[in-house]
Amino acid sequence: MNPALFLSLPDLRCSLLLLVTWVFTPVTTEITSLDTENIDEILNNADVALVNFYADWCRFSQMLHPIFEEASDVIKEEFPNENQVVFARVDCDQHSDIAQRYRISKYPTLKLFRNGMMMKREYRGQRSVKALADYIRQQKSDPIQEIRDLAEITTLDRGKRNIIGYFEQKDSDNYRVFERVANILHDDCAFLSAFGDVSKPERYSGDNIIYKPPGHSAPDMVYLGAMTNFDVTYNWIQDKCVPLVREITFENGEELTEEGLPFLILFHMKEDTESLEIFQNEVARQLISEKGTINFLHADCDKFRHPLLHIQKTPADCPVIAIDSFRHMYVFGDFKDVLIPGKLKQFVFDLHSGKLHREFHHGPDPTDTAPGEQAQDVASSPPESSFQKLAPSEYRYTLLRDRDEL
């Protein structure tokens, strides 16, 4: 018979402590490291993925690592399925090609992906476990409000862009495409849907989608494309949700500056909708081909008094049109000149050609001098960019490069 084994009291306490620690210590989720071999597969299969683009030498990246890992642990308990939510990271020093692919301009950058598609709005909220977890919970919530009675449509907020889908049933390919688009564009539009008998009066020719623009007098627009074609449906809804001329605010200023495009801005009083409509029409008429080379924006004169002061204007001078190149600000002539065919287009072309910059420093180009008049090299001091100050703070990010001067 083997002799009984007795532990001393201190040894017994130590063993129990180790057992309790082993049982109750939470398992830390391993953050998925992305590289050129696995990035497409992992992101394409994830319903939602939050990716941390970082560099080990960046102190802000170092500060974020434990917070990011703890937030991942919290979310994994709520969404345990492997592909529901993925927390991932990219070492941008090791994988500069991936950083370039996603236009990373600062560390750390947190970008959200849905089924492999990168959302245009990156995470810019508080860097805490709670804030990150709340952000993911919000992203996992249903972006579409269900209509139970068509009378609800009369109470819609017409200050928003509303997209309404009418479907025979929820379990359908048409609705799945609509839902996928809503997941991507819900920050830009309000999405609503109705089903079955509720939607029947609006389905006289089958399932359909309509767009209700802001304002009570604006007519509805009906989607005429194939509802099962994601690309066509997405492009149509994006065109309605993301206007050609966007409003710049202090809330979205940072993300607009990060797009890296100069601004063509109309400063107008909030109640002056007539000037805004003229500007929108002329941008669409003269500058639609320049979309992607410059951002078309409008701003509230009262809220953006400081940029106006930079160009020696006040709200009393509004409406005012100006370009901010992120180095200097250039003022368009009299607002009424926007109606002269090609005038606004030439103003933008003069930015791209460098003419605006040259004239600010050296006076008019010789070709602009009247016959017989001698050209003079007149030095000037152009007003500095004001909207560059809305770019990311150097106290929160490591910025990778300066803006090129235009």
Side-chain angles (χ1 to χ4, degrees), residues 158 161-166 178 202 204 208-215 217-225 235-237 239-241:
R158 293 310 299 268
R161 294 174 171 82
N162 293 283
I163 302 286
I164 307 176
Y166 298 101
F178 184 75
E202 297 290 339
Y204 40 83
N208 69 80
I209 301 170
I210 69 162
Y211 166 60
K212 286 186 174 292
S217 60
D220 294 349
M221 301 179 69
V222 181
Y223 174 59
L224 301 176
N235 288 335
W236 186 86
I237 294 179
D239 182 61
K240 306 299 175 285
C241 292

Side-chain angles (χ1 to χ4, degrees), residues 386-402:
S386 184
F387 287 92
Q388 189 183 31
K389 296 176 176 63
L390 296 179
S393 169
E394 294 187 24
Y395 297 103
R396 195 173 180 203
Y397 299 101
T398 299
L399 301 182
L400 303 187
R401 57 179 180 271
D402 294 327

